[in-house]
Amino acid sequence: ALLGRNGAGKSTLVKALSGALQPDEGSILLEGEAVVLTDPAAAHRHGIATVHQELSLVPGLSVAENLTLGRWPRRTPAGVIDRRAVRHEAERVLAVMGESLPLDREVGDLATAEQQLVEIAKAVAMDPRVLILDEPTSSLPAHEVDALLGLVRRLADRGVAIIYVSHRMSEIPRVADTITVLRD
């Protein structure tokens, strides 16, 4: 868990780890080796996926289309999308997560908790070594938080390193093995 008051530097650290911001000093170590994350694509290449607090879904696209957005499999060299492969990839990712969603439903018609699940699934689809979750429960009602925390534990049990940023102190003991507090 990554904790700290507003202004402590949590978002800045998340941006540096996700390649959106370059550090002024210091280094980022991944499995003991220094890595340079010049942009988000570099972070992805190193197996770092970030789920930001603000959702980046396309409401008019289906769950399956959103899960594979930017990576749609092509059926022809001309670029015709392979809809069967899109669906298969979405099913694969949700199975890895132990979750189920209506793949053909437009994301804009889903409840907030389901949209958050789609956002996390997009990151999981990249098979990350490190998954950064920035305030993943901030927009969820209390009764939907349990399901999300269970998902976080399942992903960690599969060997994904999770950096969990939250202001909700009651969540921390349920998901964190270690706690880092940023201050000043």
Side-chain angles (χ1 to χ4, degrees):
L2 178 61
L3 307 174
R5 289 184 169 183
N6 288 341
K10 297 182 305 294
S11 292
T12 301
L13 179 58
V14 167
K15 287 177 185 173
L17 295 175
S18 65
L21 194 82
Q22 277 59 68
D24 294 332
E25 58 184 287
S27 56
I28 297 172
L29 301 178
L30 186 61
E31 295 183 350
E33 293 188 28
V35 295
V36 178
L37 307 174
T38 55
D39 54 33
H44 292 159
R45 284 192 300 276
H46 284 286
I48 301 170
T50 305
V51 177
H52 296 281
Q53 193 170 352
E54 303 81 25
L55 300 179
S56 62
L57 303 173
V58 180
L61 293 180
S62 72
V63 168
E65 291 165 333
N66 268 280
L67 283 179
T68 57
L69 190 61
R71 304 175 297 105
W72 286 340
R74 307 293 179 180
R75 201 168 30 149
T76 67
V80 174
I81 296 170
D82 185 341
R83 301 259 177 225
R84 184 176 296 138
V86 166
R87 186 174 182 81
H88 183 329
E89 172 63 3
E91 288 170 342
R92 180 194 71 80
V93 171
L94 290 172
V96 164
M97 294 173 54
E99 297 290 337
S100 169
L101 286 171
L103 297 179
D104 297 320
R105 194 157 166 212
E106 287 187 5
V107 166
D109 294 336
L110 298 176
T112 304
E114 292 171 315
Q115 290 181 9
Q116 185 70 37
L117 186 61
V118 173
E119 193 72 40
I120 293 170
K122 280 175 44 180
V124 170
M126 297 182 332
D127 295 320
R129 295 164 41 194
V130 178
L131 177 60
I132 303 169
L133 299 172
D134 190 5
E135 298 281 350
T137 61
S138 63
S139 61
L140 298 181
H143 68 277
E144 294 176 338
V145 170
D146 287 339
L148 181 68
L149 296 180
L151 170 61
V152 170
R153 289 303 319 168
R154 286 194 304 279
L155 291 172
D157 289 345
R158 292 182 60 90
V160 178
I162 309 281
I163 299 175
Y164 190 88
V165 181
S166 182
H167 285 101
R168 295 184 176 178
M169 296 305 292
S170 63
E171 297 173 3
I172 303 309
R174 298 172 61 193
V175 295
D177 296 323
T178 61
I179 298 172
T180 300
V181 179
L182 295 183
R183 183 172 174 194
D184 300 330

Short mmCIF file of all heavy atoms in Angstrom, two decimals, residues 117-152:
data_model
loop_
_atom_site.label_atom_id
_atom_site.label_comp_id
_atom_site.label_asym_id
_atom_site.label_seq_id
_atom_site.Cartn_x
_atom_site.Cartn_y
_atom_site.Cartn_z
N LEU A 117 -14.11 -2.51 -12.91
CA LEU A 117 -13.63 -3.85 -13.21
C LEU A 117 -13.09 -3.92 -14.64
O LEU A 117 -12.05 -4.53 -14.89
CB LEU A 117 -14.76 -4.86 -13.01
CG LEU A 117 -14.41 -6.33 -13.14
CD1 LEU A 117 -13.37 -6.73 -12.11
CD2 LEU A 117 -15.67 -7.16 -12.98
N VAL A 118 -13.78 -3.30 -15.59
CA VAL A 118 -13.32 -3.25 -16.98
C VAL A 118 -11.98 -2.52 -17.05
O VAL A 118 -11.06 -2.95 -17.74
CB VAL A 118 -14.37 -2.60 -17.91
CG1 VAL A 118 -13.80 -2.40 -19.31
CG2 VAL A 118 -15.64 -3.43 -17.96
N GLU A 119 -11.87 -1.43 -16.32
CA GLU A 119 -10.62 -0.65 -16.32
C GLU A 119 -9.46 -1.50 -15.79
O GLU A 119 -8.37 -1.51 -16.37
CB GLU A 119 -10.80 0.60 -15.45
CG GLU A 119 -9.70 1.61 -15.62
CD GLU A 119 -9.74 2.35 -16.93
OE1 GLU A 119 -10.82 2.71 -17.42
OE2 GLU A 119 -8.65 2.59 -17.49
N ILE A 120 -9.69 -2.24 -14.73
CA ILE A 120 -8.65 -3.11 -14.18
C ILE A 120 -8.35 -4.25 -15.16
O ILE A 120 -7.19 -4.61 -15.38
CB ILE A 120 -9.05 -3.64 -12.79
CG1 ILE A 120 -9.10 -2.48 -11.79
CG2 ILE A 120 -8.09 -4.74 -12.32
CD1 ILE A 120 -9.70 -2.83 -10.45
N ALA A 121 -9.38 -4.78 -15.79
CA ALA A 121 -9.19 -5.87 -16.76
C ALA A 121 -8.33 -5.40 -17.94
O ALA A 121 -7.53 -6.17 -18.47
CB ALA A 121 -10.54 -6.39 -17.24
N LYS A 122 -8.50 -4.16 -18.37
CA LYS A 122 -7.65 -3.62 -19.45
C LYS A 122 -6.18 -3.70 -19.05
O LYS A 122 -5.33 -4.06 -19.87
CB LYS A 122 -8.02 -2.15 -19.73
CG LYS A 122 -9.22 -1.96 -20.59
CD LYS A 122 -9.61 -0.50 -20.76
CE LYS A 122 -8.49 0.44 -21.01
NZ LYS A 122 -8.94 1.85 -21.16
N ALA A 123 -5.90 -3.37 -17.80
CA ALA A 123 -4.51 -3.43 -17.33
C ALA A 123 -4.03 -4.87 -17.21
O ALA A 123 -2.91 -5.21 -17.60
CB ALA A 123 -4.39 -2.71 -15.99
N VAL A 124 -4.89 -5.75 -16.69
CA VAL A 124 -4.54 -7.16 -16.53
C VAL A 124 -4.30 -7.81 -17.89
O VAL A 124 -3.46 -8.72 -18.01
CB VAL A 124 -5.62 -7.90 -15.71
CG1 VAL A 124 -5.40 -9.40 -15.72
CG2 VAL A 124 -5.65 -7.37 -14.28
N ALA A 125 -4.98 -7.34 -18.92
CA ALA A 125 -4.82 -7.90 -20.27
C ALA A 125 -3.39 -7.75 -20.77
O ALA A 125 -2.96 -8.50 -21.64
CB ALA A 125 -5.78 -7.22 -21.24
N MET A 126 -2.65 -6.82 -20.20
CA MET A 126 -1.26 -6.61 -20.62
C MET A 126 -0.31 -7.55 -19.88
O MET A 126 0.91 -7.45 -20.02
CB MET A 126 -0.86 -5.15 -20.39
CG MET A 126 -1.69 -4.22 -21.23
SD MET A 126 -1.30 -2.46 -21.13
CE MET A 126 -0.64 -2.22 -19.53
N ASP A 127 -0.87 -8.47 -19.07
CA ASP A 127 -0.06 -9.41 -18.28
C ASP A 127 1.05 -8.69 -17.51
O ASP A 127 2.24 -8.99 -17.67
CB ASP A 127 0.53 -10.51 -19.18
CG ASP A 127 -0.54 -11.37 -19.79
OD1 ASP A 127 -1.50 -11.71 -19.08
OD2 ASP A 127 -0.43 -11.72 -20.98
N PRO A 128 0.66 -7.73 -16.66
CA PRO A 128 1.69 -6.94 -15.97
C PRO A 128 2.42 -7.72 -14.90
O PRO A 128 1.89 -8.64 -14.30
CB PRO A 128 0.86 -5.81 -15.34
CG PRO A 128 -0.46 -6.44 -15.06
CD PRO A 128 -0.68 -7.38 -16.23
N ARG A 129 3.66 -7.30 -14.67
CA ARG A 129 4.43 -7.78 -13.53
C ARG A 129 4.10 -6.91 -12.32
O ARG A 129 4.16 -7.37 -11.19
CB ARG A 129 5.92 -7.71 -13.83
CG ARG A 129 6.30 -8.64 -14.97
CD ARG A 129 7.64 -8.38 -15.61
NE ARG A 129 8.73 -8.04 -14.74
CZ ARG A 129 9.88 -7.53 -15.20
NH1 ARG A 129 10.06 -7.34 -16.48
NH2 ARG A 129 10.85 -7.23 -14.36
N VAL A 130 3.81 -5.63 -12.60
CA VAL A 130 3.47 -4.66 -11.57
C VAL A 130 2.17 -3.98 -11.99
O VAL A 130 2.06 -3.49 -13.12
CB VAL A 130 4.57 -3.59 -11.39
CG1 VAL A 130 4.17 -2.55 -10.34
CG2 VAL A 130 5.91 -4.23 -11.06
N LEU A 131 1.20 -3.96 -11.08
CA LEU A 131 -0.08 -3.29 -11.34
C LEU A 131 -0.26 -2.20 -10.29
O LEU A 131 -0.28 -2.49 -9.10
CB LEU A 131 -1.22 -4.30 -11.27
CG LEU A 131 -2.63 -3.75 -11.46
CD1 LEU A 131 -2.79 -3.08 -12.82
CD2 LEU A 131 -3.66 -4.86 -11.28
N ILE A 132 -0.38 -0.96 -10.76
CA ILE A 132 -0.58 0.17 -9.86
C ILE A 132 -2.05 0.54 -9.89
O ILE A 132 -2.61 0.81 -10.95
CB ILE A 132 0.28 1.38 -10.30
CG1 ILE A 132 1.76 0.99 -10.36
CG2 ILE A 132 0.04 2.57 -9.37
CD1 ILE A 132 2.65 2.02 -11.04
N LEU A 133 -2.68 0.52 -8.72
CA LEU A 133 -4.10 0.87 -8.60
C LEU A 133 -4.19 2.15 -7.78
O LEU A 133 -3.94 2.16 -6.57
CB LEU A 133 -4.86 -0.26 -7.91
CG LEU A 133 -4.85 -1.60 -8.64
CD1 LEU A 133 -5.47 -2.69 -7.77
CD2 LEU A 133 -5.60 -1.49 -9.96
N ASP A 134 -4.54 3.24 -8.45
CA ASP A 134 -4.62 4.55 -7.81
C ASP A 134 -6.05 4.85 -7.39
O ASP A 134 -6.90 5.13 -8.23
CB ASP A 134 -4.10 5.63 -8.77
CG ASP A 134 -3.93 6.98 -8.11
OD1 ASP A 134 -4.12 7.09 -6.88
OD2 ASP A 134 -3.61 7.95 -8.83
N GLU A 135 -6.31 4.73 -6.10
CA GLU A 135 -7.65 4.98 -5.53
C GLU A 135 -8.74 4.19 -6.26
O GLU A 135 -9.74 4.76 -6.71
CB GLU A 135 -7.97 6.48 -5.58
CG GLU A 135 -7.03 7.36 -4.79
CD GLU A 135 -7.31 7.37 -3.31
OE1 GLU A 135 -8.35 6.85 -2.87
OE2 GLU A 135 -6.47 7.89 -2.58
N PRO A 136 -8.61 2.87 -6.37
CA PRO A 136 -9.57 2.10 -7.17
C PRO A 136 -10.97 2.04 -6.59
O PRO A 136 -11.92 1.74 -7.31
CB PRO A 136 -8.94 0.71 -7.23
CG PRO A 136 -8.13 0.63 -5.98
CD PRO A 136 -7.60 2.01 -5.77
N THR A 137 -11.12 2.33 -5.31
CA THR A 137 -12.45 2.22 -4.70
C THR A 137 -13.09 3.58 -4.43
O THR A 137 -14.17 3.65 -3.85
CB THR A 137 -12.39 1.43 -3.38
OG1 THR A 137 -11.53 2.12 -2.47
CG2 THR A 137 -11.89 0.01 -3.61
N SER A 138 -12.43 4.65 -4.87
CA SER A 138 -12.91 5.99 -4.51
C SER A 138 -14.32 6.28 -5.00
O SER A 138 -15.05 7.04 -4.38
CB SER A 138 -11.95 7.06 -5.03
OG SER A 138 -11.90 7.03 -6.44
N SER A 139 -14.72 5.68 -6.11
CA SER A 139 -16.06 5.96 -6.65
C SER A 139 -17.04 4.81 -6.39
O SER A 139 -18.14 4.82 -6.92
CB SER A 139 -15.97 6.23 -8.15
OG SER A 139 -15.45 5.10 -8.82
N LEU A 140 -16.63 3.85 -5.58
CA LEU A 140 -17.49 2.68 -5.34
C LEU A 140 -18.25 2.80 -4.03
O LEU A 140 -17.69 3.24 -3.02
CB LEU A 140 -16.64 1.40 -5.30
CG LEU A 140 -15.87 1.03 -6.55
CD1 LEU A 140 -15.12 -0.27 -6.31
CD2 LEU A 140 -16.78 0.91 -7.74
N PRO A 141 -19.50 2.34 -4.03
CA PRO A 141 -20.21 2.26 -2.76
C PRO A 141 -19.59 1.14 -1.90
O PRO A 141 -18.96 0.21 -2.42
CB PRO A 141 -21.64 1.92 -3.15
CG PRO A 141 -21.60 1.47 -4.56
CD PRO A 141 -20.32 1.97 -5.16
N ALA A 142 -19.77 1.23 -0.60
CA ALA A 142 -19.13 0.31 0.34
C ALA A 142 -19.40 -1.16 0.01
O ALA A 142 -18.50 -2.00 0.12
CB ALA A 142 -19.58 0.63 1.76
N HIS A 143 -20.62 -1.50 -0.41
CA HIS A 143 -20.94 -2.91 -0.64
C HIS A 143 -20.23 -3.48 -1.86
O HIS A 143 -20.15 -4.69 -2.02
CB HIS A 143 -22.47 -3.11 -0.75
CG HIS A 143 -23.08 -2.50 -1.97
ND1 HIS A 143 -23.42 -1.16 -2.04
CD2 HIS A 143 -23.40 -3.05 -3.15
CE1 HIS A 143 -23.93 -0.92 -3.24
NE2 HIS A 143 -23.93 -2.04 -3.93
N GLU A 144 -19.68 -2.63 -2.74
CA GLU A 144 -18.96 -3.12 -3.92
C GLU A 144 -17.45 -3.16 -3.71
O GLU A 144 -16.72 -3.71 -4.51
CB GLU A 144 -19.32 -2.26 -5.13
CG GLU A 144 -20.79 -2.42 -5.53
CD GLU A 144 -21.19 -1.51 -6.67
OE1 GLU A 144 -20.53 -0.49 -6.90
OE2 GLU A 144 -22.19 -1.84 -7.31
N VAL A 145 -16.99 -2.57 -2.61
CA VAL A 145 -15.56 -2.54 -2.32
C VAL A 145 -15.03 -3.94 -2.04
O VAL A 145 -13.94 -4.30 -2.48
CB VAL A 145 -15.28 -1.58 -1.13
CG1 VAL A 145 -13.86 -1.72 -0.64
CG2 VAL A 145 -15.58 -0.14 -1.54
N ASP A 146 -15.81 -4.76 -1.33
CA ASP A 146 -15.36 -6.12 -0.98
C ASP A 146 -14.97 -6.92 -2.21
O ASP A 146 -13.94 -7.61 -2.21
CB ASP A 146 -16.45 -6.87 -0.21
CG ASP A 146 -16.61 -6.36 1.20
OD1 ASP A 146 -15.66 -5.75 1.72
OD2 ASP A 146 -17.68 -6.57 1.78
N ALA A 147 -15.78 -6.85 -3.26
CA ALA A 147 -15.49 -7.60 -4.47
C ALA A 147 -14.18 -7.13 -5.10
O ALA A 147 -13.36 -7.95 -5.54
CB ALA A 147 -16.64 -7.47 -5.46
N LEU A 148 -13.96 -5.83 -5.12
CA LEU A 148 -12.73 -5.30 -5.71
C LEU A 148 -11.51 -5.71 -4.89
O LEU A 148 -10.48 -6.11 -5.44
CB LEU A 148 -12.80 -3.78 -5.83
CG LEU A 148 -11.55 -3.17 -6.46
CD1 LEU A 148 -11.44 -3.57 -7.92
CD2 LEU A 148 -11.55 -1.68 -6.32
N LEU A 149 -11.63 -5.65 -3.57
CA LEU A 149 -10.50 -6.05 -2.72
C LEU A 149 -10.19 -7.54 -2.88
O LEU A 149 -9.03 -7.95 -2.87
CB LEU A 149 -10.78 -5.71 -1.27
CG LEU A 149 -10.93 -4.21 -0.96
CD1 LEU A 149 -11.20 -4.00 0.53
CD2 LEU A 149 -9.74 -3.42 -1.42
N GLY A 150 -11.22 -8.34 -3.07
CA GLY A 150 -11.01 -9.77 -3.34
C GLY A 150 -10.25 -9.98 -4.63
O GLY A 150 -9.36 -10.83 -4.73
N LEU A 151 -10.60 -9.20 -5.65
CA LEU A 151 -9.90 -9.28 -6.93
C LEU A 151 -8.43 -8.91 -6.76
O LEU A 151 -7.55 -9.58 -7.30
CB LEU A 151 -10.57 -8.36 -7.95
CG LEU A 151 -9.83 -8.16 -9.26
CD1 LEU A 151 -9.64 -9.48 -10.00
CD2 LEU A 151 -10.56 -7.15 -10.14
N VAL A 152 -8.15 -7.87 -6.01
CA VAL A 152 -6.77 -7.45 -5.78
C VAL A 152 -5.97 -8.59 -5.13
O VAL A 152 -4.85 -8.90 -5.55
CB VAL A 152 -6.72 -6.17 -4.92
CG1 VAL A 152 -5.29 -5.85 -4.47
CG2 VAL A 152 -7.31 -4.99 -5.69
#
